[in-house]
């Protein structure tokens, strides 16, 4: 057997190096490498092709197995999950600190317990008293949740082994858990991975729906190893601006359902409230149009959400490097759009600061937002307001063409329902919706001409 090698594991991304470095070669994080216990290295002669047990092959259409989904008690949570909790599944819930992950899971656990099912909430971050205070504020003190403050996975699994399997097990958070079988402090890659592995195994063997709450790094990835995302069945992120009320629950990976459905909540004094009809939430509700504002009919999954996109252009007097700041949209995409507007339409943004904001703290993921962003930018640059009752959708190519996007029908129906009567979009997008006047935009220069004329 070869001598075990030292290994250094990046605590941010989980990549392994053979020697210590100040910066991770994979993810570029500084001071993130930590030495971990060496793994046994087997020689190439080690033969695994005999001596094992034979495994049985199974048919794909095994009878008697249907996905029994169980409600979380929160319809918006169920919707984002694709219909509810699947027994024996593991869900990783990420989100910025203070966004409301603990609140959401405490509410779900309480609803499940109130419906007469077992729900276990293990807090590794807060003392039981703190969780109790929160439950009191939420008006859920009487829910018969099994609450514990613990961080030892061995203690947790021993306890769970001695009782009936709960319907829901919440671990808040996976970064605080530790196992005495594994070296390293809680939160290190090997601890997080090892603890998650044991908890997921328990969940699978006992048909328990497991939710692991996970911390998020500054750039939005779930802290610790990416491998955690591979180990679980569902990865969800809870998003929103802390200064705003609205929260979006999105699934980024789902082995049991679609990934584009969202759940919408509002953080209120009594915890998270469900928002069943979100389409108006992200409009500013202003009557007189202002320059730089365009309404985009977004579609998330099957759900239309109208959002307002705001652009502000500030001309700089001299050669200082202009700023580009984006809230709620992709900054790379904005740079691309500005380049297309310059190259194809002859507009000049190079000596101006550009600010782009999606109203209401919403984060846009729908690629059809390009046209609305372009309209807001051109309107801001020319200081000309766009028509008050207009919506804009379409994807823009590098050549400046407006390309077709999915869900033209849902977008226009919802816009018409909310009182908008003009839609600008890609060729072929007209649906003949009564009361909606559709304007085809072929190329970006056509759009600029329309706005400036
Ligand atoms: P929390 O669930 O602790 O966030 P996370 O677990 O994601 O870190 O949410 C904390 C925030 O939510 C806190 O800043 C206060 C706010 N909040 C309310 O506004 N109303 C409430 O009823 C509760 C419980 C929290
Ligand atoms: Mg928390």
């Amino acid at each position: 057997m070869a001598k075990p090698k030292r290994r250094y594991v990046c605590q941010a991304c989980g990549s392994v190096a053979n020697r210590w470095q100040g910066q991770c070669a994979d993810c570029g994080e500084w001071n993130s490498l930590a030495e971990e216990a060496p793994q046994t290295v087997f020689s190439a002669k080690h033969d695994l092709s005999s001596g094992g047990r034979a495994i049985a092959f199974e048919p794909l259409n095994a009878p008697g197995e249907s996905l029994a989904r169980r409600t979380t008690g929160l319809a918006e949570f169920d919707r984002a999950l694709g219909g509810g909790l699947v027994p024996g599944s593991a869900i990783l819930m990420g989100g910025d600190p203070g966004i409301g992950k603990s609140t959401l899971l405490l509410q779900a656990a309480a609803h499940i317990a109130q419906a007469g099912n077992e729900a276990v909430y293990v807090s590794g971050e807060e003392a039981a008293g703190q969780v109790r205070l929160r439950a009191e504020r939420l008006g859920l003190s009487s829910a018969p949740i099994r609450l514990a403050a613990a961080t030892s996975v061995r203690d947790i699994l021993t306890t769970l082994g001695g009782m009936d399997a709960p319907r829901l097990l919440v671990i808040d958070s996976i970064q605080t858990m530790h196992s005495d079988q594994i070296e390293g402090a809680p939160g290190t890659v090997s601890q997080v991975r090892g603890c998650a592995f044991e908890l997921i195994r328990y969940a699978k063997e006992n048909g328990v729906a497991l939710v692991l709450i996970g911390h998020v790094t500054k750039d939005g990835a779930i802290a610790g190893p990416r491998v955690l995302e591979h180990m679980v069945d569902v990865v969800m992120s809870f998003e929103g601006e802390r200064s705003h009320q609205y929260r979006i629950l999105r699934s980024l990976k789902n082995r049991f359902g679609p990934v584009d459905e969202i759940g919408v909540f509002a953080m209120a004094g009594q915890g998270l409230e469900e928002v069943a009809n979100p389409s108006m939430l992200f409009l500013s509700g202003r009557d007189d149009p202002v320059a730089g504002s365009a309404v985009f009919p977004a579609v998330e999954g099957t759900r239309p959400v109208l959002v307002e996109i705001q652009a502000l252009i500030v001309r700089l007097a001299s050669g200082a490097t202009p700023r580009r700041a984006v809230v709620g949209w992709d900054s790379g995409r904005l740079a691309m759009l500005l380049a297309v507007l310059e190259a194809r339409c002859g507009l000049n943004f190079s000596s101006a600061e550009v600010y782009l904001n999606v109203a209401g703290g919403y984060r846009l993921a729908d690629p059809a937002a390009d046209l609305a962003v372009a309209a807001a930018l051109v309107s801001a640059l020319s200081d000309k307001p766009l028509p008050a009752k207009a919506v804009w959708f379409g994807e823009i190519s590098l050549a400046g063409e407006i390309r077709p996007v999915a869900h033209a029908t849902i977008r226009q129906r919802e816009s018409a329902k909310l009182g908008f009567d003009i839609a600008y979009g890609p060729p072929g997008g007209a649906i003949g919706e009564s009361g909606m006047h559709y304007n085809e935009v072929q190329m970006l220069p056509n759009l600029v001409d329309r706005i400036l004329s």
Side-chain angles (χ1 to χ4, degrees):
M1 218 167 73
K3 187 167 160 280
K5 275 200 194 127
R6 281 169 186 278
R7 60 204 291 267
Y8 298 87
V9 180
C10 172
Q11 303 301 308
C13 71
S15 74
V16 179
N18 288 328
R19 60 193 170 78
W20 191 86
Q21 293 154 191
Q23 186 183 24
C24 171
D26 262 352
C27 70
E29 188 73 20
W30 287 93
N31 293 324
S32 62
L33 263 61
E35 185 175 353
E36 291 197 356
Q39 279 182 334
T40 323
V41 181
F42 293 104
S43 70
K45 277 188 295 207
H46 197 80
D47 182 10
L48 286 179
S49 64
S50 60
R53 271 183 299 144
I55 54 172
F57 295 107
E58 306 209 17
L60 271 179
N61 60 349
E65 267 183 28
S66 67
L67 271 189
R69 292 183 183 274
R70 310 270 170 71
T71 177
T72 58
L74 297 163
E76 293 292 309
F77 195 174
D78 289 348
R79 179 199 277 271
L81 280 168
L85 292 166
V86 175
S89 67
I91 298 160
L92 179 63
M93 172 78 69
D96 288 337
I99 209 72
K101 301 180 294 298
S102 304
T103 307
L104 177 70
L105 271 311
L106 188 64
Q107 284 182 246
H111 285 300
I112 289 174
Q114 275 166 341
N117 298 298
E118 203 75 77
V120 175
Y121 189 102
V122 180
S123 177
E125 308 211 318
E126 294 164 280
Q130 277 173 289
V131 181
R132 225 178 281 126
L133 276 180
R134 173 176 300 144
E136 213 166 279
R137 194 151 104 199
L138 298 172
L140 296 170
S141 313
S142 61
I145 299 184
R146 289 187 184 259
L147 168 68
T151 55
S152 159
V153 172
R154 183 190 291 276
D155 292 352
I156 294 167
L157 291 179
T158 306
T159 311
L160 290 169
M163 58 186 266
D164 285 345
R167 176 164 287 188
L168 174 68
L169 168 61
V170 179
I171 301 291
D172 186 3
S173 64
I174 186 63
Q175 274 90 3
T176 56
M177 295 295 131
H178 73 92
S179 156
D180 51 21
Q181 290 289 300
I182 304 165
E183 267 187 49
T188 54
V189 171
S190 53
Q191 280 283 0
V192 167
R193 200 164 29 191
C195 292
F197 182 80
E198 290 303 323
L199 289 162
I200 292 170
R201 181 159 68 182
Y202 164 81
K204 298 253 175 262
E205 282 171 1
N206 295 279
V208 173
L210 168 69
V211 177
L212 302 171
I213 294 179
H215 289 176
V216 162
T217 57
K218 46 189 180 310
D219 45 357
I222 291 177
R226 286 311 291 261
V227 285
L228 214 49
E229 298 189 4
H230 300 290
M231 291 165 68
V232 297
D233 302 303
V234 180
V235 179
M236 306 193 95
S237 88
F238 204 33
E239 305 171 352
E241 291 286 319
R242 236 182 308 173
S243 49
H244 288 81
Q245 199 187 359
Y246 297 107
R247 303 283 184 268
I248 308 287
L249 184 61
R250 228 182 256 284
S251 69
L252 307 175
K253 156 181 171 177
N254 191 346
R255 287 187 183 148
F256 310 113
V259 287
D260 41 12
E261 286 293 351
I262 57 167
V264 184
F265 295 88
M267 182 61 94
Q270 284 261 307
L272 291 160
E273 282 167 9
E274 301 183 61
V275 180
N277 186 4
S279 45
M280 281 293 276
L281 288 187
F282 302 100
L283 294 180
S284 60
R286 206 181 316 99
D287 280 338
D288 45 332
V290 290
S293 149
V295 174
F296 168 53
V299 174
E300 301 275 3
T302 53
R303 239 174 164 181
V305 186
L306 268 65
V307 291
E308 182 181 316
I309 294 175
Q310 303 162 343
L312 178 67
I313 312 260
V314 183
R315 286 255 165 243
L316 289 184
S318 64
T321 315
R323 278 190 64 155
R324 270 102 179 83
V326 191
V327 178
W329 205 50
D330 182 29
S331 57
R333 194 98 196 143
L334 173 66
M336 192 204 90
L337 259 190
L338 289 172
V340 176
L341 281 168
E342 294 208 348
R344 308 285 172 199
C345 307
L347 300 177
N348 183 8
F349 293 93
S350 60
S351 62
E353 298 198 313
V354 178
Y355 300 91
L356 190 80
N357 178 41
V358 178
Y362 193 81
R363 236 209 102 69
L364 273 179
D366 187 337
D370 291 357
L371 191 68
V373 173
L377 287 170
V378 175
S379 159
L381 187 72
S382 59
D383 204 18
K384 283 188 69 167
L386 300 170
K389 296 277 173 214
V391 297
W392 313 74
F393 64 91
E395 198 176 329
I396 295 175
S397 74
L398 285 180
E401 300 156 302
I402 316 301
R403 306 189 44 87
V405 290
H407 307 305
T409 313
I410 305 180
R411 294 179 204 276
Q412 289 173 69
R413 288 236 165 95
E414 189 69 12
S415 305
K417 213 158 86 189
L418 296 176
F420 292 86
D421 54 13
I422 311 170
Y424 291 85
I431 56 158
E433 177 76 9
S434 63
M436 178 61 79
H437 179 69
Y438 190 81
N439 291 293
E440 286 190 357
V441 190
Q442 302 254 349
M443 300 289 292
L444 202 48
N446 306 140
L447 172 88
V448 175
D449 291 344
R450 266 175 213 248
I451 296 174
L452 298 186
S453 64

